[in-house]
Amino acid sequence: MSASSIRFLMCPPKHYDVDYVINPWMEGNVHKSSRDRAVEQWEKLHHILKDQAIVNLVTPQIGVPDMVFTANAGLVLENTVVLSRFYHKERQGEEPFFQHWFEEQGFTVFTLPKDLPFEGAGDALFDREGRWLWAGYGFRSELDSHPFLAKWLDIEVLSLRLMDERFYHLDTCFCPLANGYLMYYPPAFDAYSNRLVEMRVPDAKRIAVSEPDAINFACNAVNIDRTIVLNKASDDLRARLEEVGFRLIETPLTEFMKAGGAAKCLTLRVTEPLQPAHHAVVAIESRTIQLEGHLLDSGLINRALDLIVEGGGTFQVMNFQLGEQRQSTSTAEVRVTAPSHDVMEKIMSQLIDLGAAPQPQEICDNPLEVVMLNGVAPDDFYVSTIYPTEVRVNCEWVRVHNQRMDGAIVVSRTPEGVFAECKLLRDLQQGDRVVVGVEGIRTVRKTESREQRTSNDKEFSFMGAGVSSERRVELVVEQIAWDLRRIHDQGGKVVVVAGPVVVHTGGVEHLSRLIREGYVQALLGGNAIAVHDIEQALMGTSLGVDMKRGVSVRGGHRHHLKAINSIRRCGSIANAVEQDVLTSGIFYECVKNNVPFSLAGSIRDDGPLPDTKMDLIAAQQEYAQLIQGADLILMLSSMLHSIGVGNMTPAGVKMVCVDINPAVVTKLSDRGSIESIGVVTDVGLFLSLLVQQLSKLTSPYQIAQVV
Ligand code: ARG
């Protein structure tokens, strides 16, 4: 198309002023612009454009001062226009005037549903080759408007999320140029949008502007072939644009910048030729989810909505039923929209972890894919979490068995009905049908009552504070002692995961006592804790250090090997106990009190003990078996074994993690405060305090009997 057939729409600034504040530029500028200077600046721009193209005018109207910004009239392609629906009521008055103009000119006019904001060419810019439409959202235009653009204009829409309120319209920070160039200000967009831009526009064609240029509205430029008309450009930007063949015309538009607009905002290109063969591809997806629980007082609704927006999506709350009584729960229906399938899946999997569920009537079957290779899941498999999970099959929710994190969900049909279970990747068999995507998945989260919640906060909130003072440690130990006592009295199950530090810090006698008195039902560790415990029992040292005097014993480093050797001679720890070779310590107590233990592996080649499982898969299976049915897991200074155990354990099992290193404690506390207590302290000290507390406690049941 020759330059002379290009047409623009402008609106003379007869009634222009800054009358209100709807963007940060207008702040402090109400009634501060000069009408005379505005007219003069506008005339200059008008003049420059008339040299390059045809300029049509729309009649300015009283009461709608921002009507000068014709970019926001609508989005034109060929003979079609999608009219703007302004976000702010201050500008909604412009809509009928622009509509009238388009109709008069014979455009086919599309209007968006009410309450679906979209601000025209201010937020939607064609690639200058017409290959696709860049569309902004985040401040003025709603992501949900983009599918309409794709449908009505039959063009691929690439949605970009605006993050900086100074750049509230796409055309304030993004300017597609001739020959596939793009001038833009990357920090105005989120990471995902930047990636999208980088995938579409090759490096050599991307001209990123500096913040000072962005603030001078350099990106708010009118591009006609090789000419770029803008308010102002730095020398550097000018040089870069000229180097690739553009010619710059600067024309001051400072009066309009007081309202947050410049060259591009003041114009609307009304001849946008249709490019054949680039058809609508709508990447945007929407789904409706349900949330139930103490949505307001637990902050759940806020967390869910924040998560959607932080993840790059947008939402619309369709329905909110407020639980009116203190105890009654609320329900909400939220429509989630995301710019692509990937973003949607990411947001949905996090929402599922919060307990969000899809509309049951919308989904009858979650898609399944068949395993083609043993031990390998289909690409898009759903990664299981610790939370009780249900999956949609045959229009019903089916509970998943063997719940654990980091697995895949396998669905099978048995004569008794549909069966779903978590399987580790390595256990997947060819032909297994695995849940993919997140459409028909929900996790069942317990709704806590207000009372539970506040008491939990009290007990465990110190956790978040990281390092805990000694006094706090005492308080927590008291709480844990009560729990141990209660589980003990009710015949429950406590599993201890322990590292060798328990021995070095003098914890042996205390842990031994806990085992002896029936507070421990299983012990998990590696080769080291057993070797150190046994070395101490046999020789009084741990890695050659005398545990009573705290000094190295001459030649003591050999004790370690001697301990291993003694047990190897007996054939097992149990045999050593039976033969009176081993007569005290943690593992002695385990054998004596029939407390099963599992020792998982060693990378050291000085052992291992005969009891140590060097086949890690077998060891993991033994661990998993021993934690079944646990009420509480006490993790004592063993980072890797503790994390391993944490991953195998479904939600609902209380965990106490003790370590001198706060990083270890925080790692384990990802599970949410209700279930994990972290104690940053010396593990020997912790155990001695715990034993002390326990001996102070009298069983509540005994008290009851006395009364
Ligand atoms: N004051 C106007 C507003 O905030 C400025 C519009 C600028 N237009 C644009 N296409 N960026 O809506």
Side-chain angles (χ1 to χ4, degrees), residues 22-23 26 66 69 71-72 91 122 140 168-169 171 259-260 265:
I22 57 171
N23 68 48
M26 299 173 102
D66 274 337
F69 298 113
N72 301 121
R91 293 198 65 181
R140 299 295 187 84
Y168 56 94
H169 275 147
D171 68 358
C265 303

Side-chain angles (χ1 to χ4, degrees), residues 391-462:
V391 46
R392 201 85 181 138
V393 189
N394 292 343
C395 306
E396 278 181 56
W397 288 111
V398 177
R399 173 59 70 97
V400 174
H401 290 77
N402 267 329
Q403 190 63 47
R404 54 154 300 144
M405 72 185 261
D406 297 344
I409 298 176
V410 174
V411 176
S412 50
R413 283 165 220 276
T414 65
E416 292 81 53
V418 179
F419 183 76
E421 65 172 330
C422 284
K423 266 194 176 186
L424 293 171
L425 293 184
R426 63 182 183 228
D427 295 331
L428 291 176
Q429 297 284 329
Q430 248 180 47
D432 276 351
R433 286 145 48 87
V434 168
V435 170
V436 293
V438 289
E439 264 146 64
I441 299 242
R442 71 176 183 192
T443 60
V444 186
R445 305 296 297 269
K446 260 187 280 168
T447 15
E448 299 160 59
S449 72
R450 178 190 287 272
E451 283 69 24
Q452 264 172 328
R453 213 167 32 250
T454 43
S455 74
N456 277 330
D457 282 351
K458 258 208 307 293
E459 283 162 24
F460 305 137
S461 59
F462 89 100

Side-chain angles (χ1 to χ4, degrees), residues 16-18 20-26 65-66 68-72 86 88 91 94 119-123 140 168-172 217 220 256 258-262 264-267:
Y16 169 70
D17 195 1
V18 181
Y20 45 74
V21 177
I22 57 171
N23 68 48
W25 304 89
M26 299 173 102
D66 274 337
V68 287
F69 298 113
T70 50
N72 301 121
F86 285 96
H88 290 110
R91 293 198 65 181
E94 300 169 36
E119 298 202 347
D123 260 337
R140 299 295 187 84
Y168 56 94
H169 275 147
L170 184 64
D171 68 358
T172 59
F217 275 77
N220 197 248
F256 297 99
K258 293 176 183 166
K264 162 68 173 58
C265 303
L266 291 166
T267 62

